[in-house]
């Protein structure tokens, strides 16, 4: 894993004034400096300073309305900040072709899944990520492309569904297919928006075990996973960012950040948290 990230740590290098205005982006996958997002008069994010380094696995945790999805939209180059600066994969938003940048980012979210045509064949849902489309039309794919799609479906435990229609799948099966799709282009950054939400206990644990395997793979992309629940953090995630009302409560190494004090401040309740066998649980004290 990379060196610890911090919401307050300065990552700029020394030198002349002109040079110091340029952040040192060496080994940085994401960097946000003084970032705020305003929509309809409300601040969805405010004064966010965050750095994600190469090979780190981050979990973003917070209650409803904390700004987690907005943060992910910035990270996926889908949204520009109202104030502040965002760098994604070394490129500054507002000074880069976001359509090209997005091809380097893999994302899985419920919203994206809702845009997949119900009659789309599962294998095509995955392989069409190569063209960045939802709904295969006249694109041409090599055997190596379809083989990779099948391998990813196998890794997510849904290889048997490759010939099924997406609209016939359960919620858990759809989530696995969309994660396979997010990995299809071998992205440099992987964004997972509540991958275990809505799953039953068995489905959740099986999926988290597979995400833990992915997190342990040194060739896997830098990852950011958004969730409401500490129980949905896979083993192997190294860092955590806690959000409340659009602001950062704490950020850094996961065992330092996931304390009773920080979790209580994040959710506005007196909470306890513990780690057992690499997994976390929380309760009302």
């Amino acid at each position: 894993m990379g060196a610890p990230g911090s919401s307050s740590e300065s990552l700029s290098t020394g030198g002349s004034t002109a040079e110091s205005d340029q952040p040192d982006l060496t080994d940085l996958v994401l960097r946000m400096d003084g970032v705020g997002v305003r929509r309809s008069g409300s601040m969805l994010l405010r004064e966010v300073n965050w750095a994600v380094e190469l090979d780190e696995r981050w979990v973003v945790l917070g209650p409803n309305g904390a700004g987690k999805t907005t943060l992910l939209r910035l990270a996926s180059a889908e949204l520009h900040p109202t104030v502040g600066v965002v760098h994604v994969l070394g490129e500054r938003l507002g000074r880069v072709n976001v359509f090209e940048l997005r091809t380097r980012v893999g994302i899985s979210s419920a919203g994206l899944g809702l845009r997949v045509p119900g009659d789309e064949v599962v294998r095509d849902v995955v392989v069409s990520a190569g063209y960045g489309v939802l709904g295969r039309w006249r694109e041409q794919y090599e055997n190596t492309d379809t083989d990779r799609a099948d391998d990813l479906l196998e890794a997510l435990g849904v290889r048997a569904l490759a010939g099924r229609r997406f609209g016939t799948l359960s919620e858990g099966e759809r989530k696995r297919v969309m994660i396979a799709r997010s990995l299809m282009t071998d992205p440099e950054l992987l964004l997972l928006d509540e991958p275990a939400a809505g799953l039953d206990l068995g489905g959740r644990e099986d999926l988290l075990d597979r995400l833990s395997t992915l997190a342990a793979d040194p060739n896997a992309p830098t990852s950011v996973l958004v969730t409401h629940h500490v129980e949905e953090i896979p083993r192997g995630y190294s860092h955590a960012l806690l959000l409340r009302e659009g602001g950062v409560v704490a950020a850094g190494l996961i065992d330092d950040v996931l304390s009773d004090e920080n979790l209580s401040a994040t959710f506005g309740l007196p909470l306890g948290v513990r780690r057992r066998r690499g997994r976390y649980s929380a309760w009302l004290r």
Side-chain angles (χ1 to χ4, degrees):
M1 298 297 174
S6 171
S7 62
S8 59
E9 184 181 17
S10 174
L11 296 174
S12 62
T13 58
S16 68
T17 302
E19 290 174 341
S20 64
D21 288 340
Q22 300 299 320
D24 180 5
L25 302 178
T26 305
D27 293 332
L28 281 182
V29 176
L30 278 174
R31 176 170 171 145
M32 300 187 184
D33 295 294
V35 167
V37 175
R38 181 186 298 274
R39 289 292 182 272
S40 302
S42 299
M43 291 300 294
L44 305 183
L45 288 176
R46 50 185 175 79
E47 285 299 317
V48 172
N49 298 292
W50 184 35
V52 176
E53 296 192 17
L54 188 67
D55 296 332
E56 291 178 345
R57 282 78 168 104
W58 280 78
V59 58
V60 178
L61 191 70
N64 290 329
K68 301 185 301 298
T69 297
T70 302
L71 190 81
L72 219 58
R73 292 182 66 197
L74 290 170
S76 63
E78 182 185 340
L79 182 70
H80 285 67
T82 306
V83 296
V85 178
V86 177
H87 286 90
V88 179
L89 299 172
E91 304 290 350
R92 178 170 172 173
L93 296 190
R95 299 182 180 178
V96 64
N97 183 331
V98 293
F99 297 103
E100 292 182 2
L101 181 59
R102 288 170 190 165
T103 65
R104 302 166 60 193
V105 179
I107 184 167
S108 174
S109 68
L112 187 63
L114 291 173
R115 291 164 52 193
V116 177
D119 62 352
E120 188 79 350
V121 174
V122 165
R123 183 183 289 109
D124 290 344
V125 174
V126 178
V127 77
S128 61
Y131 278 91
V133 297
L134 287 168
R136 184 171 177 177
W137 192 44
R138 296 179 178 176
E139 315 90 56
Q140 296 297 315
Y141 300 97
E142 304 291 336
N143 289 337
T144 54
D145 296 325
T146 54
D147 288 346
R148 174 167 173 76
D150 286 343
D151 289 343
L152 289 170
L153 289 169
E154 177 72 30
L156 271 299
V158 286
R159 171 65 177 82
L161 304 178
R164 288 264 301 272
R165 301 291 177 180
F166 189 77
T168 68
L169 304 185
S170 68
E171 180 67 18
E173 290 167 343
R174 293 185 187 193
K175 287 180 179 292
R176 292 167 188 255
V177 170
M178 294 307 293
I179 294 173
R181 175 187 167 87
S182 71
L183 292 165
M184 181 66 199
T185 59
D186 194 18
E188 299 167 61
L189 172 63
L190 177 65
L191 306 175
L192 303 174
D193 191 3
E194 300 185 44
L199 303 186
D200 61 31
L201 180 59
R204 183 191 76 180
E205 291 305 300
D206 183 75
L207 177 59
L208 293 182
D209 185 61
R210 294 176 189 275
L211 291 179
S212 295
T213 299
L214 180 64
D217 184 348
N219 296 316
T222 301
S223 304
V224 176
L225 183 151
V226 167
T227 182
H228 294 95
H229 308 289
V230 298
E231 292 81 6
E232 294 179 357
I233 302 174
R235 292 182 184 88
Y237 271 66
S238 58
H239 293 70
L241 172 72
L242 305 185
L243 289 177
R244 178 176 177 82
E245 296 179 349
V248 175
V249 176
L253 291 171
I254 193 167
D255 284 339
D256 296 335
V257 168
L258 288 187
S259 65
D260 293 359
E261 180 182 6
N262 286 340
L263 205 64
S264 298
T266 300
F267 288 92
L269 290 168
L271 298 174
V273 61
R274 72 170 180 174
R275 178 180 178 179
R276 182 171 181 268
R277 296 180 180 178
R279 294 286 301 280
Y280 295 87
S281 58
W283 63 92
L284 183 66
R285 288 183 291 162

